[in-house]
Each structure stands twice: as C-alpha cells, then as structure tokens.
Amino acid sequence: MTTEPAAKPVQALNRTRQLAMYRRALEHLPGGTDSNFRAWGEDTIYVDRGKGGTVWDLDGNEFIDLRMGYGPVILGHGDDRVDDYVNERMRRGVSFSLTSEDEVKAMELVCELTGWVDKARMTVSGTEATMHAMRVARAYTGREKIVKFEGQYHGVHDYALISVGPDDMSELGDPDAPVALAWGRGIPGAVADTIIPARYNRIDSLRTIFERQGQEIAAIIVEPVLGNAQGIMPRPGFHQEMRALTEEFGILLIFDEVKTGFRFARGGAAEFFGIKPDLATYAKAMGNGYPAAAFGGRAEVMNMLPDKVSHGGTYAGNRVAAAAAVKTLTILKETNALETVHATGRRVQEGLRQVLDPTGLAYHFTGHPSMFGIMFREEEATEYRDWASTDHELYDAVAVGMQARGAMPEPDSREPWFLCESHAAGDTVDRVVSIFADSLHAVLEARANGGSEQRANKLSHG
C-alpha cells in the first residue's frame, strides 16, 4: 500500500440539542425513534430541515445527504415543483376514503412509464405494497409459499422478515440448504414456514427449489439488485433465466422495485434489465419523499381485485401522496432529471476511484450510479453472504468519519449511497469526494499507527 497523506484534523460536531432530544424521546419512543433503523443510541440524529441535497440537524450541523431517506428523494428535499403542487391539491382536502383524479393520474403514469404494468393500486408504504403483492400472487396461483433471496429486504410485515440481515452468515444455514431465519421475535413459525429462502444469483439452486416444491410456490419476490447489500447486481443473464424458470413452473415473478423503481430508469429495473415480471411494487422515488407507494402488474393477475382478494387502507391514495406521485412522475417523464442523477453518480464514482486507486485497497463499486456502494473486497460480490468477507469495518469507519466532516452516507456497509437531482448543483460532487478522501486517509492512518477504526469513529461524536 502506498503512503497516504496525513489526515486533516476534524472538529467535533455540536450535538447538545440532539442529546437532549434523544433523552426526551426515550421517555415515549422505544429507542428514541419511530424506526429501528434510525435508532443509533446517543449518536441518533434528529433532523431540523432539508433542502436539495443537504440536511441540517437540530444543532445546525450541515450535511450533504447521501442517504436521501433510504432512497425516496430522487429530486431533492423540499423540491418546489412537487411541494407547490401538493400544497395546492391538499387544500381541497386530504383523506375522504373516496377516489380522486390524482390517484387515477398517478397510476396512469406508473403504467405509462413502466410500459408493462396494466393495472395498479396505491398504498402508503413499500411494506404494504409487497404484502399485497404476495397476497395477490397466492390468490392467483392457489399456492401459499413464496421464495425470497437471502439478505433482501421487502419491508417489515411478517412474511418479509425472513433471512434478511444477520451479521453472522452461519445463521443462514448451510449454503446448499438455507434456513428460514426470522428477523426478530414475534413472527409466527407458521408464517416463516411459508417463505423459502434462496441464494441470489444462483440459478441452479433456484431450479432445485422449484423442482422440489414448485407445486407449492406461488411466487418469487426479488429486489432486482440486492439493495440490502449496497446494490449487488445480478450476474449477466440471471434475471432472464429466472423469468424463464418461473414461466416453466407456473410461478409468478414479483419485482420489488421499492428502491429501484423510477431510479434506474423511467420504467425502473424492469426496463433497465429488459424483464417483464408479473407483479411489481413501487414506493420511495415515485413520491420524492412523500409516503406514496403502489403495486401493480399484468391485468390477468391484478383482476383478482376487487372481488377475490382483500385490499384496502384508509390512507391508500390519499390526496397528499397521490399528488406527490403525479408531480414527481411527471417531472421524471418530461425532464432530464433522471439522466442528471445518473451522470452525477458517475462523476462521484470517478472521483472516488481517483482517491481509492492510489491506496492499493481492493474494492469495487456495486449497484447503479444512482444507488451504489463501495465494497472493500477483491472479488466482486454476487450474493448477501459475500458481504461477510468485505472489510466492512473499514467502510463503516469511513462513513462515520464522513459524517464528522459534513457528508452523510448510512454508517452501515450494507446500505447504498443514494443520489438526487440536486446533487448536481454547485461543487457538491467535489465536496463529497474531498470529504471521502479525508475520512479514508484518517482511518488508514489510524490503522498504520496501530490504532483502530473505533478511534476514527469517535471523531464525529465530540
């Protein structure tokens, strides 16, 4: 490894108001937050506001946002085009449990942009979308079991929380016989038994599962890229082979496009990879941060609704979410916003290469320029189990050090960086690259001097 420049000192962040808020929140919110994924103990961040590609916490610390709410914010925080439209529409009333024109327009746009979805319905979250897609698939096929891939995240309903995210890969069972590992307590064993785990990018093992249990399997649900491991891409031909295999066995293919939908392409990952699944789920980027989600698919399958399958929700298609979807999808359809996001991601990656290559570190980028990760590993990762052999301690330390310096990726090596249209503005890309370089050099210097990443981590906490 080549000698690295001395790391620049970093000033500790002020967290006075956030620590007080954390202690206050603990009184009534478990973990001090409304989501386990935001609960970071005394390091929990309490946000004040966001604009464009930037967020500010309660103490006034400013960060280039590389999380973007785990992906929804495709245009930028507080996008005036979307917010102005939503504000105008919501003044007519928000929730009626009746259908508005905005709901119809939103689903027309989903069908138009994807090119293969015939019919769709709105929900409030990606969790609901995958839950309903699974139910429709079971109803259509008359079968009960669902195949899902290890490490893939499909929301927080019981049927999704199987073999999602252990740190110890041995918990997933033998590679040739994965076990259905429930993520947390409270999931009935009978529910877990309806989910069959499989290894991503392994078509032969998938065929074995289908040959053994095909008559029981209603569908296979897949994140087209493994978003819960920095966006691991399918190997060439994998999706095509999986599509052919599902057709051979009469099994439905569900693309979970909650992260990839309207981000990889206007038609999502289905367009990007040239696949027509039977059902798909959408959320996140379709509303630029508003709680808009949907599931849809082939007319023959979706026509199980409304007579044969239960689906509803007081807030499904509420005016705020529907209006946000209409405006966001219209912008993505009619402007070059998506091309700007992709180009910006490529610029960031090129800058990171110039920082990383001289170090001699083994690394590769995962995912797509709009949603990518950095894995410190010699061989390219192809499945979730590969994450265990990455230098994820190095990545996590660098991510935390970046936060101390004013840029905020998720401090977990399984979560991708997300780019938005606003990141293209000004010197944002150069700042991200510079902050990454400073953080990386600080961590490598600590290692070279016999220290640990934990010391570098403390830089952000004061």
Side-chain angles (χ1 to χ4, degrees), residues 58-137:
L58 288 183
D59 290 288
N61 299 305
E62 177 181 320
F63 307 95
I64 299 169
D65 189 0
L66 298 171
R67 297 168 72 254
M68 305 313 294
Y70 294 123
V73 188
I74 190 74
L75 303 174
H77 296 292
D79 185 89
D80 292 336
R81 298 164 294 181
V82 177
D83 291 353
D84 288 348
Y85 184 77
V86 171
N87 288 337
E88 185 274 321
R89 300 300 289 173
M90 70 185 287
R91 290 191 179 97
R92 303 183 182 201
V94 171
S95 187
F96 304 98
S97 284
L98 297 169
T99 303
S100 72
E101 184 180 3
D102 283 312
E103 296 171 64
V104 178
K105 284 183 178 179
M107 295 304 93
E108 287 173 342
L109 282 162
V110 168
C111 294
E112 179 183 355
L113 288 171
T114 60
W116 69 270
V117 172
D118 297 319
K119 295 184 178 183
R121 273 194 177 180
M122 290 195 73
T123 67
V124 179
S125 69
T127 286
E128 291 176 65
T130 61
M131 179 179 69
H132 290 303
M134 288 182 184
R135 183 183 299 144
V136 169

Side-chain angles (χ1 to χ4, degrees), residues 130-444:
T130 61
M131 179 179 69
H132 290 303
M134 288 182 184
R135 183 183 299 144
V136 169
R138 290 187 178 106
Y140 179 79
T141 61
R143 304 170 183 172
E144 292 191 348
K145 295 195 174 181
I146 303 286
V147 174
K148 78 167 293 287
F149 291 106
E150 291 178 337
Q152 297 214 336
Y153 176 76
H154 302 293
V156 290
H157 57 88
D158 287 353
Y159 293 96
L161 290 176
I162 305 298
S163 300
V164 179
D167 292 345
D168 182 354
M169 298 300 128
S170 68
E171 295 179 18
L172 293 170
D174 189 289
D176 294 325
V179 299
L181 176 68
W183 193 17
R185 300 181 184 182
I187 299 170
V191 170
D193 288 344
T194 69
I195 304 300
I196 303 171
R199 294 172 63 193
Y200 185 63
N201 268 327
R202 303 296 194 273
I203 199 68
D204 289 342
S205 64
L206 199 59
R207 173 172 283 279
T208 298
I209 291 170
F210 282 13
E211 288 176 345
R212 183 177 65 240
Q213 295 177 266
Q215 295 303 309
E216 303 173 84
I217 299 170
I220 181 165
I221 187 168
V222 59
E223 285 186 288
V225 303
L226 210 169
N228 198 41
Q230 291 196 334
I232 293 175
M233 296 288 275
R235 66 169 180 76
F238 176 71
H239 284 325
Q240 287 76 12
E241 293 167 353
M242 181 169 56
R243 173 72 281 192
L245 198 60
T246 56
E247 290 173 342
E248 178 183 343
F249 285 85
I251 293 167
L252 297 189
L253 175 61
I254 305 171
F255 261 26
D256 179 359
E257 296 236 36
V258 166
K259 284 185 176 178
T260 58
F262 317 110
R263 178 171 279 278
F264 275 40
R266 287 175 179 82
E271 176 188 329
F272 185 81
F273 292 113
I275 298 294
K276 290 184 179 181
D278 300 293
L279 289 165
T281 58
Y282 303 98
K284 295 190 184 285
M286 73 179 288
N288 196 48
Y290 286 90
F295 65 100
R298 294 193 291 115
E300 182 182 4
V301 179
M302 288 297 291
N303 282 342
M304 299 301 293
L305 300 163
D307 296 333
K308 297 181 176 64
V309 174
S310 176
H311 166 252
T314 299
Y315 302 110
N318 70 80
R319 178 64 61 73
V320 171
V326 167
K327 194 62 179 179
T328 301
L329 294 177
T330 298
I331 291 169
L332 295 178
K333 171 188 170 184
E334 296 180 355
T335 75
N336 65 350
L338 211 52
E339 287 78 9
T340 297
V341 174
H342 298 173
T344 303
R346 289 191 291 270
R347 286 172 56 205
V348 173
Q349 287 180 327
E350 181 54 36
L352 299 182
R353 283 191 190 94
Q354 293 179 23
V355 173
L356 285 163
D357 286 349
T359 68
L361 289 167
Y363 78 95
H364 63 272
F365 292 122
T366 55
H368 180 276
S370 69
M371 169 188 152
F372 71 88
I374 309 156
M375 279 197 171
F376 292 109
R377 184 177 192 267
E378 193 73 49
E379 297 180 6
E380 189 164 348
T382 61
E383 64 166 335
Y384 182 72
R385 293 181 187 232
D386 289 340
W387 171 83
S389 59
T390 67
D391 192 345
H392 43 86
E393 290 184 355
L394 172 61
Y395 178 91
D396 292 352
V398 171
V400 171
M402 289 181 68
Q403 179 188 323
R405 294 167 171 84
M408 190 190 295
E410 179 78 0
D412 184 329
S413 60
R414 282 166 284 209
E415 193 68 26
W417 292 19
F418 290 97
L419 278 297
C420 75
E421 183 187 25
S422 296
H423 283 134
D427 64 349
T428 298
V429 170
D430 292 339
R431 289 168 58 206
V432 168
V433 173
S434 177
I435 288 168
F436 175 84
D438 289 345
S439 182
L440 176 67
H441 295 153
V443 175
L444 294 179

